Amino acid sequence: MTTVTLKEEDYSSVTAEEVAQIAARLELDDYSTPFEGLQDWHLLRAIAFHRQELVEPYFYLLDIEAYDES
């Protein structure tokens, strides 16, 4: 399995197709090690912070819940 890593300046060039591929891998959950899945999850989460509009259809994979810190 090939792992994708991005630098901060690379987030602007991420495409919807690349995000869909990451999401598809997460949905299949067919990784050699648990760490490969965790890397994809962290990558999708990082993309969500930089390009939220690309990740909106896949928020359910991130399991991010709103909370109140007060």
Side-chain angles (χ1 to χ4, degrees):
M1 161 142 222
T2 304
T3 304
V4 178
T5 56
L6 298 173
K7 296 179 183 175
E8 189 158 342
E9 61 270 8
D10 295 334
Y11 290 104
S12 63
S13 65
V14 173
T15 66
E17 292 79 24
E18 291 170 327
V19 172
Q21 289 173 356
I22 296 166
R25 288 195 305 261
L26 285 167
E27 286 179 338
L28 289 174
D29 195 27
D30 186 26
Y31 296 100
S32 301
T33 69
F35 299 107
E36 289 176 351
L38 190 57
Q39 286 175 335
D40 272 350
W41 184 85
H42 280 289
L43 180 58
L44 190 64
R45 187 169 181 262
I47 294 168
F49 282 113
H50 293 276
R51 303 278 310 275
Q52 182 175 350
E53 72 280 0
L54 293 177
V55 182
E56 282 181 9
Y58 311 108
F59 273 158
Y60 66 94
L61 292 170
L62 296 175
D63 197 30
I64 296 176
E65 295 183 22
Y67 60 93
D68 185 5
E69 293 183 9
S70 58

